[in-house]
Amino acid sequence: MSRARLFFSKYGLDLLIVIAAVESAIATALTDDPGHPTGVWLWLEVLAVTGIVLTLLTRRRFPFAAPAVTWLFSAALSFADGRLIVDKAGLFLAGMGAAVLLGNSRSDRQARIGLAIVLAGAAIVVYNDPFHQPGEMVFTPVLFAIGWLLGFALRQRTERTEAAEERATRAEREREAAARVAVAEERGRIARELHDVVAHAVSVMVLQVGAVRHRMPVTDTEDRETLSNVEHAGRTALAEMRRLLSAMRQDGEELELLPHPGLDNLDSLVDDVRAAGLPVKLEIRGEPFPLPPGLDLSAYRIVQEGLTNALKHSRASQAEVDVDYTDTELLLEVRDDGPGGPSTEAGLGHGLVGVRERVKIFGGDMTAGAARTGGFVLRARLPLDGGGR
């Protein structure tokens, strides 16, 4: 059934054209009107009416010329035999189909020319019919003009559909491009923060190595030289790290001189959100222990993003923050009771993009969405990999 449906959707109209051509040829060959030609002239008429209908098979390659030729040849043949065109059902269907195709022309100019061809051709065919009635001079052209209007309306609908599809495709491309830019910006921001953390750690290492070297006996030249080389390598790495940080910072972005926050600063963050008008309940589960600086900073940023969404976008009346310390992972959850979620219009959803990228760095996972009981929930799992203790 699917193959048959596919065949008829692709070739159904062509099959109908062939059937109309066969009907017109048989009707022409079997006609017994008085004065109708016989012999060679009869077969010439059979070939002519068949060719007129089959011309529509070329409509894909010649969308304007094919239906126009159908009408022009029909009008021309009516001068040779006034009854040749008017009494064939296949020719009527071909004429109506040609009128629809002319109305469906992509060019407004061609469509208007096509309407003139349809009206003039129909009037000529009716006029050359020796048995025509006076009212047919108006009714028949108007009937085919309605077919032209149908084609014109279909063209308008097709153009609107194509325009809508084009807008949707363009919007999808813009969303994808915006998403890529957002991911790149968030990755850059995360990288700058983590580079700050690494740079701080390297600075501490260099200072400690230098302190140890200065406390060593002067006679221990070999160890002092080794530590001096380590200190020099550390200072070189620190200089390169700072140069990289400077290159990664955006124009106008100042160097952060204050220490980066961590989960120890959650109380201060919660107080700030409460002062902004959103009641927040903070619950810590498990026994807190020192976390790696990068993971500690990322965990703080995740909670900060969840509370920012609850405060600015969710229209919530309260929020809750759960931090669960386990032996193998850190679990974070921020939920609110608001009807809305994080905004993806202003800012292109950078916040959740940042959360996703931070979680990915540490091999964790996250979920964000509406809760079954209402409100919005952001959950994140950050593996510790044994480095937290």
Side-chain angles (χ1 to χ4, degrees):
M1 290 297 295
S2 59
R3 290 183 179 180
R5 189 180 299 108
L6 179 63
F7 175 83
F8 282 107
S9 64
K10 189 173 183 179
Y11 301 108
L13 187 54
D14 291 335
L15 182 61
L16 183 61
I17 291 172
V18 172
I19 293 173
V22 172
E23 188 278 334
S24 300
I26 294 175
T28 302
L30 298 180
T31 187
D32 55 357
D33 293 339
H36 192 74
T38 58
V40 176
W41 287 107
L42 174 61
W43 293 111
L44 287 176
E45 286 190 354
V46 171
L47 292 176
V49 297
T50 304
I52 288 175
V53 179
L54 293 179
T55 299
L56 294 177
L57 292 176
T58 64
R59 68 192 182 282
R60 295 187 181 90
R61 186 171 183 181
F62 306 104
F64 175 77
V69 166
T70 296
W71 269 105
L72 292 173
F73 277 21
S74 296
L77 282 176
S78 69
F79 285 101
D81 186 346
R83 297 294 298 170
L84 180 62
I85 306 298
V86 296
D87 60 352
K88 309 294 188 301
L91 285 173
F92 175 82
L93 291 176
M96 185 60 71
V100 173
L101 291 173
L102 289 171
N104 200 37
S105 297
R106 291 295 182 137
S107 169
D108 287 338
R109 180 173 175 272
Q110 289 183 348
R112 289 192 294 268
I113 294 174
L115 177 60
I117 291 174
V118 169
L119 293 175
I124 291 172
V125 170
V126 172
Y127 179 79
N128 288 332
D129 179 10
F131 304 106
H132 75 269
Q133 301 295 323
E136 292 178 349
M137 289 294 296
V138 175
F139 174 77
T140 302
V142 168
L143 179 62
F144 286 104
I146 292 175
W148 181 92
L149 285 173
L150 175 61
F152 188 78
L154 290 175
R155 188 195 77 172
Q156 298 285 350
R157 179 180 178 182
T158 300
E159 289 178 348
R160 287 194 297 269
T161 301
E162 291 177 350
E165 292 177 351
E166 182 180 355
R167 287 194 300 270
T169 302
R170 185 167 58 251
E172 182 64 24
R173 287 197 298 265
E174 291 174 354
R175 282 194 296 270
E176 291 176 355
R180 287 194 294 269
V181 171
V183 170
E185 291 179 351
E186 289 300 316
R187 286 178 177 175
R189 178 189 173 194
I190 296 170
R192 289 192 295 273
E193 291 183 348
L194 294 181
H195 276 81
D196 285 340
V197 173
V198 174
H200 175 71
V202 173
S203 297
V204 173
M205 292 168 56
V206 170
L207 292 175
Q208 290 178 345
V209 169
V212 172
R213 181 174 61 85
H214 284 295
R215 288 198 300 268
M216 293 185 66
V218 179
T219 56
D220 195 353
T221 56
E222 184 177 352
D223 289 340
R224 286 176 62 90
E225 182 178 357
T226 300
L227 291 178
S228 177
N229 292 335
V230 172
E231 184 179 0
H232 176 73
R235 294 185 185 278
T236 302
L238 185 59
E240 294 297 330
M241 184 74 68
R242 287 172 176 168
R243 186 177 295 109
L244 177 60
L245 283 172
S246 177
M248 292 178 64
R249 297 190 190 280
Q250 299 177 354
D251 295 339
E253 185 179 7
E254 297 181 356
L255 178 65
E256 295 185 15
L257 300 179
L258 296 176
H260 285 292
L263 292 183
D264 291 340
N265 304 102
L266 280 186
D267 289 332
S268 177
L269 173 63
V270 168
D271 290 340
D272 291 340
V273 176
R274 288 170 180 163
L278 179 64
V280 180
K281 177 183 177 182
L282 174 62
E283 184 173 352
I284 306 295
R285 297 189 179 95
E287 185 65 27
F289 50 82
L291 298 171
L295 188 145
D296 195 22
L297 170 61
S298 292
Y300 177 88
R301 294 298 189 201
I302 291 171
V303 174
Q304 184 182 41
E305 179 58 32
L307 289 177
T308 300
N309 283 329
L311 180 64
K312 293 185 176 181
H313 308 303
S314 292
R315 303 186 299 278
S317 60
Q318 64 178 5
E320 298 180 6
V321 177
D322 291 343
V323 180
D324 189 2
Y325 289 85
T326 72
D327 292 336
T328 59
E329 58 191 11
L330 179 68
L331 304 177
L332 305 172
E333 180 175 305
V334 182
R335 58 185 178 273
D336 60 64
D337 61 353
S343 172
T344 56
E345 296 177 0
L348 301 173
H350 285 197
L352 291 182
V353 171
V355 171
R356 185 174 294 108
E357 292 301 318
R358 290 180 187 277
V359 170
K360 186 187 300 183
I361 289 175
F362 296 98
D365 53 64
M366 66 156 288
T367 59
R372 294 181 179 179
T373 57
F376 191 85
V377 179
L378 170 63
R379 295 187 180 94
R381 182 185 64 85
L382 300 174
L384 300 177
D385 292 333
R389 293 184 182 271

